[in-house]
């Protein structure tokens, strides 16, 4: 049986909450695909509410700008996963772009980062490895937990700021560790790898 030919993607459009998410996802996608020459364009929602309201128009703008794949990234933020996924998919499917998917980090991208405590220690040059118990996707408020870990494990000498450090974490954490502990990250990788670049 012949293998289905993958769709060739020239430009990736990202609909994200803020510029920090845009930078992080650019880095993560480039690392997953092992390519540093990908073209990315963005639409920034500045909050989930506005992003949901404008998702279709954002996707259509990215389509007009030449994006042949659009990814809508939305934190779970204590929503019901299946309901949010259905609502966002229904929205994005109204856009003109043919290739698109929704990515929902659980609870937020920092939940992915918590899957690699050794990596966090190395990125921030901490005195101790953060003790992260259980599945990182089950941790409430992972952004705040990451702030606590960095502060406590540096003996209160360092501060984590998502706007300054998420691209650094995206570039340096072990994707295999994240993949082994995060279903939402695995789903994202599978969707990204469904295309040719």
């Amino acid at each position: 049986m012949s293998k289905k030919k993958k769709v060739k993607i020239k430009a990736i459009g990202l609909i994200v909450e803020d510029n920090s998410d845009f930078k992080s996802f650019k880095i993560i996608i480039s690392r997953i695909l092992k390519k540093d020459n990908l073209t990315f364009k963005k639409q920034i929602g500045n909050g989930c509410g506005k992003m949901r309201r404008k998702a279709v128009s954002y996707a259509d703008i990215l389509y007009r700008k030449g994006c042949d794949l659009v990814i809508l990234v939305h934190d779970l933020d204590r929503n019901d996963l299946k309901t949010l996924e259905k609502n966002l998919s229904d929205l994005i499917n109204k856009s003109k772009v043919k290739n698109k998917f929704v990515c929902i980090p659980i609870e937020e991208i920092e939940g992915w980062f918590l899957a690699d405590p050794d990596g966090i220690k190395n990125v921030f040059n901490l005195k101790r490895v953060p003790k992260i118990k259980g599945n990182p996707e089950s941790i409430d408020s992972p952004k705040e937990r990451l702030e606590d870990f960095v502060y406590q494990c540096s003996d209160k000498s360092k501060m984590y700021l998502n706007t300054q450090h998420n691209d650094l974490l995206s570039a340096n954490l072990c994707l295999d560790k994240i993949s082994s502990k995060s279903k939402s990250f695995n789903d994202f990788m599978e969707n990204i790898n469904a295309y040719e670049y």
Side-chain angles (χ1 to χ4, degrees):
M1 196 164 107
S2 68
K3 198 174 168 188
K4 190 178 167 192
K5 191 170 181 337
K6 288 184 176 182
V7 176
K8 177 83 172 160
I9 301 298
K10 296 180 202 74
I12 300 169
L14 292 168
I15 303 170
V16 289
E17 272 191 72
D18 57 36
N19 213 46
S20 154
D21 285 343
F22 176 67
K23 287 195 270 186
S24 292
F25 274 88
K26 265 178 56 172
I27 293 165
I28 290 168
I29 291 168
S30 297
R31 289 185 67 201
I32 289 169
L33 298 173
K34 297 179 175 63
K35 291 182 179 280
D36 55 8
N37 61 343
L38 298 166
T39 301
F40 292 92
K41 297 183 189 301
K42 64 185 172 184
Q43 286 292 301
I44 306 290
N46 294 314
C48 289
K50 183 179 175 191
M51 200 163 72
R52 281 193 302 270
R53 282 193 310 278
K54 301 195 80 168
V56 177
S57 67
Y58 283 164
D60 288 342
I61 288 167
L62 290 167
Y63 176 72
R64 286 195 299 275
K65 287 182 174 179
C67 295
D68 32 24
L69 171 62
V70 171
I71 305 165
L72 171 60
V73 179
H74 191 297
D75 292 341
L76 182 61
D77 287 335
R78 296 187 188 88
N79 289 295
D80 176 72
L81 179 61
K82 288 203 182 324
T83 305
L84 182 62
E85 202 164 36
K86 183 188 180 322
N87 292 344
L88 294 175
S89 293
D90 288 349
L91 273 176
I92 198 86
N93 285 335
K94 293 176 186 170
S95 74
K96 292 181 178 88
V97 74
K98 186 178 171 193
N99 306 299
K100 56 209 163 207
F101 69 88
V102 171
C103 170
I104 304 174
I106 299 173
E107 289 276 313
E108 45 202 8
I109 194 171
E110 289 80 6
W112 290 357
F113 297 157
L114 291 175
D116 184 8
D118 292 305
I120 293 167
K121 177 186 184 282
N122 294 338
V123 166
F124 289 97
N125 198 17
L126 301 175
K127 296 178 189 300
R128 296 178 298 287
V129 176
K131 299 250 186 296
I132 299 164
K133 294 181 177 82
N135 181 335
E137 290 191 324
S138 68
I139 295 171
D140 289 335
S141 307
K143 188 180 295 174
E144 288 75 13
R145 295 293 292 134
L146 187 51
E147 283 173 18
D148 291 344
F149 285 131
V150 170
Y151 189 62
Q152 296 302 329
C153 294
S154 67
D155 291 339
K156 303 180 180 177
S157 67
K158 296 186 178 173
M159 300 285 288
Y160 157 76
L161 291 168
N162 66 312
T163 52
Q164 288 181 15
H165 297 120
N166 279 8
D167 53 344
L168 199 59
L169 290 163
S170 299
N172 290 288
L173 295 185
C174 176
L175 297 184
D176 288 340
K177 284 185 181 175
I178 297 171
S179 173
S180 72
K181 296 179 183 175
S182 171
K183 184 186 179 318
S184 62
F185 184 77
N186 272 325
D187 292 345
F188 178 67
M189 281 205 315
E190 196 174 298
N191 282 320
I192 283 293
N193 283 317
Y195 302 95
E196 188 184 322
Y197 301 87

